[in-house]
Structures are given as structure tokens and as C-alpha cells.
Amino acid sequence: MIQLHDKFFKPYLSEAQILNAVEKMALAIAEDYKDEVPLFVGVLNGSFMFVSDFLKAYPHPCEVSFVKLSSYQGLTSTGIVETLLDVSEDIAGKSVIILEDIIDTGRTLQQLVHLFSDTNVKEFKIASLFYKSEIYNGEYAIDYFGMDIPNNFIVGYGLDYNELGRNLREVYTLNQTNMINLVLFGKPGAGKGTQAGFLKEKYNLKHISTGDVFRYNIKNQTELGTLAKSFIDKGELVPDEVTINMLKDEVEKNPDAAGFIFDGFPRTTAQAEALDNFLESKDMKVDATIALEAEDDILVQRLLERGKVSGRTDDQDESKIRNRFDEYNEKTAPLKAYYEAQGKFHSVNGIGEIEAITERIKTVIESL
């Protein structure tokens, strides 16, 4: 996948597929206009790559010009088409073929027809590399097209998302259906926080650390934070329902996320079931649980080194560190069985260079 601004896009059409469609269009039009010199009019900005490759494939004499229209902002059409570069005046008596990169609703096409309505051209035809027939509601025939495609937002080969992506030689489509939700496990020192940081940037995921969520709610004295603090002050465990409601708030605050990394929750089978039920209510699910595995002796050394810098007392006492490992093993064992039964538990070697560990996790994610 690639990232443009805040969105992620996945491969859709290869360069070879695109050029094959362009060549077929060029040869079809060449057969119809082999006995005259047509004027090809490209529609900027999107058509510049298409026009360039089309002219390379067109085997007969021709002329070329450009107009510039605009109706898109971001991912959606504004519904208002602006003429930014008008057609030249010297076109009377010529056969004009519009070269559009993409035709969807037909609003831009209406403006194009209007531009040529009083020019006394000999003939006026419309050619589009990409054609979304399922949403086209225009009254004008599309005389030539390269590919009939679904109504998905695409970028590349001249097409953009907020001006990025035009230079891509392939076409990508918005990655909006494949939400990835991960549960990240790992003993203290296993590098969960570091890897979560890489994964959230790579896949546009929201990292939800239960500890961070608790601290935020308690510090800001939210209703849930106040409720959680009342249990903590009494030395009692915060009920699962309170924690789930905090997570629910975090999920609902991030509707544009391509998925979530849950870190520090669940810690018990009951919590895992509660998380599954919550996600199911949102038409979501846990796609994978990833456990970063490392030998205890190696992690002890990591934490002791970390403790010299962080000053954390729980990272400066080996016996306390090993007690935390024992607690992790005790709590994680039933969770491992729970997710293994769903075919969602993945063990990843957490020893080595950070980049190498990230690649191992990416291999798991991209196999989902």
C-alpha cells in the first residue's frame, strides 16, 4: 500500500494494463480517422499522462490542444465545474476528440460540450481512458473508452488525491474496506510500544494503550475516569465494563482510522470476550493477536538498561522484573488458547534489529 496525505491506497491497475488499454483506444480511433487530421483535446490536469501515451500510440498525423477544468476537492466532486483554461479559437471545421482521463457522473463532460457548442467544429467525439458506467448519468454518448471500472476512488496515472499521486505509473484505489484490528502482546521490554509506533504509521492504525487511556481519563476527570479512580483508590480492580467503555470512546473518536492496535487489553478471557462483543456491535472484529516473544534473560538486560535511563524503579530490580514476567505468563496463557481457537494467535520473534522485527509483523498483517 501507499500513503497520500491521510489516506492509504492499494494497487488496482498495473502500468501494463493501462498502456494496453491506451493502445487499444489509439488504434480504434486511428481506424476511424486515418483519412484526416483530428484534433485531440486533453483535459487537464488529470489527462496529461494519458494524452502523452495516447499520442505515442497514435500512428497517423494529428493535432493536440488542452483545456483545464476542475470539479474535485479531495475525494469528492464539488458539483461545480470551473473552466480554468479555455479551448483555442482556431478549431472550426476540425474533427475534435476529447481525451478525458476519467468520466464518472458526467458533470465535467457537460461543461466540455458547452465549450465546443458554438465553435463550428466538423465533428465532436468523446474518449475516456476510465469510464464509470454505473454512475454516469450524462446525456452524451461516450464514443471510446479504455476501461469500464467500478465506482471506486482511484489515484495515479494523472489522477490525484489533493494533488498527490498524479506521477504514479500505476493506478491505486482507496483502501477503505480492509480494516485491520490487532491485539498486541508482549512481556515488559519486548518492544510493543516501539512496534506499535511503526505499525500505526504504516497502516494508518490508531494505537490504543489501556494505560494511556486510563491516565487521560483520570487526568481530565471524565465521567469514566472518575469512576475508574474510585475503584483504584479503594484498591479494587476497575470493572471490565468501565475499561470497555473507555475503549469504545477511543474507537468512536477515530472514525477515519483504518483499524486499531489494542495494547494492554484484553488481559483475561472475559475481557477478550467483551472486546469481541464490542467490536461485533461496530461490525468489526479482531483480525490478529501478535505476541512478541523473547527470552527472559535478554528482556531482563533490556529493562535493567532502560531503568538506568528512565529511573523507573520497577526496571531496576531483577526480582521485580521476573515477577512481572511470571504474571504475564499466567495471564497470557489462557488468552493464547482463546485466540488460537479462533485461528488468530501469531507468535513473532521479538529479538533482533527493530526493522527486522517490524518486517516479521508486517508479514503476519499482510497475510490476513
Side-chain angles (χ1 to χ4, degrees):
M1 287 192 292
I2 61 169
Q3 182 177 5
L4 302 176
H5 294 300
D6 59 331
K7 303 296 181 186
F8 285 77
F9 297 83
K10 57 187 177 182
Y12 180 57
L13 295 171
S14 68
E15 183 180 16
Q17 288 175 294
I18 298 167
L19 293 179
N20 183 57
V22 172
E23 183 177 3
K24 286 183 177 179
M25 287 183 70
L27 294 178
I29 296 173
E31 181 63 26
D32 292 342
Y33 290 90
K34 59 187 176 184
D35 297 326
E36 56 181 299
V37 179
L39 170 64
F40 294 112
V41 179
V43 182
L44 297 174
N45 285 332
S47 73
F48 70 97
M49 291 182 79
F50 168 41
V51 172
S52 175
D53 287 332
F54 177 91
L55 293 176
K56 294 172 191 174
Y58 192 79
H60 304 311
C62 62
E63 297 179 12
V64 62
S65 184
F66 290 92
V67 295
K68 186 172 183 180
L69 306 176
S70 178
S71 68
Y72 264 81
Q73 289 182 352
L75 301 177
T76 58
S77 175
T78 63
I80 301 173
V81 181
E82 297 180 87
T83 303
L84 306 177
L85 176 64
D86 210 341
V87 67
S88 61
E89 298 178 359
D90 186 24
I91 61 173
K94 295 181 180 180
S95 293
V96 174
I97 297 127
I98 294 294
L99 295 181
E100 263 276 36
D101 52 338
I102 188 167
I103 290 177
D104 41 37
T105 62
R107 293 192 189 99
T108 302
L109 191 54
Q110 290 175 345
Q111 183 70 5
L112 281 169
V113 172
H114 176 73
L115 286 178
F116 289 92
S117 60
D118 298 321
T119 56
N120 295 317
V121 297
K122 175 185 176 183
E123 191 174 40
F124 180 78
K125 294 284 183 77
I126 298 163
S128 181
L129 176 56
F130 303 117
Y131 174 41
K132 297 182 179 180
S133 61
E134 65 182 86
I135 63 167
Y136 178 64
N137 55 17
E139 56 186 297
Y140 309 103
I142 309 303
D143 301 287
Y144 308 94
F145 64 86
M147 294 184 181
D148 192 331
I149 64 172
N151 183 30
N152 299 328
F153 187 84
I154 58 176
V155 298
Y157 200 72
L159 297 158
D160 75 301
Y161 169 47
N162 282 340
E163 297 305 326
L164 290 185
R166 294 191 191 276
N167 61 314
L168 298 170
R169 297 169 69 169
E170 300 84 18
V171 167
Y172 294 75
T173 187
L174 185 65
N175 186 52
Q176 58 186 1
T177 57
N178 297 329
M179 176 171 276
I180 302 170
N181 296 306
L182 308 173
V183 173
L184 199 57
F185 290 127
K187 293 177 182 177
K192 285 190 305 174
T194 300
Q195 293 303 326
F198 287 117
L199 295 175
K200 71 179 183 179
E201 294 299 327
K202 171 69 176 176
Y203 297 104
N204 191 28
L205 305 178
K206 171 65 179 177
H207 178 208
I208 300 180
S209 164
T210 309
D212 291 343
V213 171
F214 266 77
R215 284 186 286 273
Y216 170 83
N217 279 275
I218 292 173
K219 179 181 178 181
N220 290 279
Q221 298 182 343
T222 67
E223 182 178 346
L224 288 171
T226 301
L227 181 59
K229 188 174 185 300
S230 69
F231 289 98
I232 294 171
D233 288 346
K234 290 184 290 187
E236 299 176 1
L237 294 175
V238 177
D240 292 347
E241 181 182 0
V242 176
T243 307
I244 281 287
N245 284 334
M246 287 186 183
L247 298 182
K248 178 180 178 181
D249 286 349
E250 290 299 308
V251 168
E252 292 178 345
K253 282 193 295 188
N254 295 276
D256 295 330
F260 298 87
I261 302 171
F262 296 99
D263 177 1
F265 190 93
R267 292 183 181 273
T268 66
T269 301
Q271 290 179 352
E273 292 173 346
L275 181 60
D276 280 349
N277 291 335
F278 160 59
L279 292 177
E280 185 178 353
S281 72
K282 296 290 183 181
D283 197 26
M284 297 160 56
K285 69 182 188 306
V286 170
D287 294 285
T289 59
I290 297 175
L292 290 174
E293 305 286 4
E295 295 178 9
D296 287 0
D297 289 344
I298 294 176
L299 294 181
V300 167
Q301 293 306 311
R302 279 188 191 175
L303 292 173
L304 290 174
E305 288 299 316
R306 186 174 77 178
K308 294 176 183 178
V309 177
S310 68
R312 288 178 52 172
T313 56
D314 57 346
D315 284 348
Q316 298 174 358
D317 185 318
E318 182 172 342
S319 63
K320 289 182 179 180
I321 291 173
R322 293 190 181 276
N323 285 338
R324 288 155 66 193
F325 291 170
D326 292 340
E327 182 183 8
Y328 172 86
N329 290 334
E330 181 182 348
K331 290 182 177 179
T332 304
L335 282 172
K336 179 179 179 180
Y338 177 84
Y339 285 115
E340 278 184 333
Q342 298 181 9
K344 296 179 178 179
F345 188 87
H346 302 269
S347 179
V348 171
N349 182 1
I351 299 300
E353 296 293 328
I354 291 174
E355 294 81 2
I357 299 169
T358 304
E359 287 300 317
R360 294 169 199 153
I361 298 175
K362 284 167 58 179
T363 299
V364 171
I365 294 172
E366 292 174 9
S367 70
L368 299 177

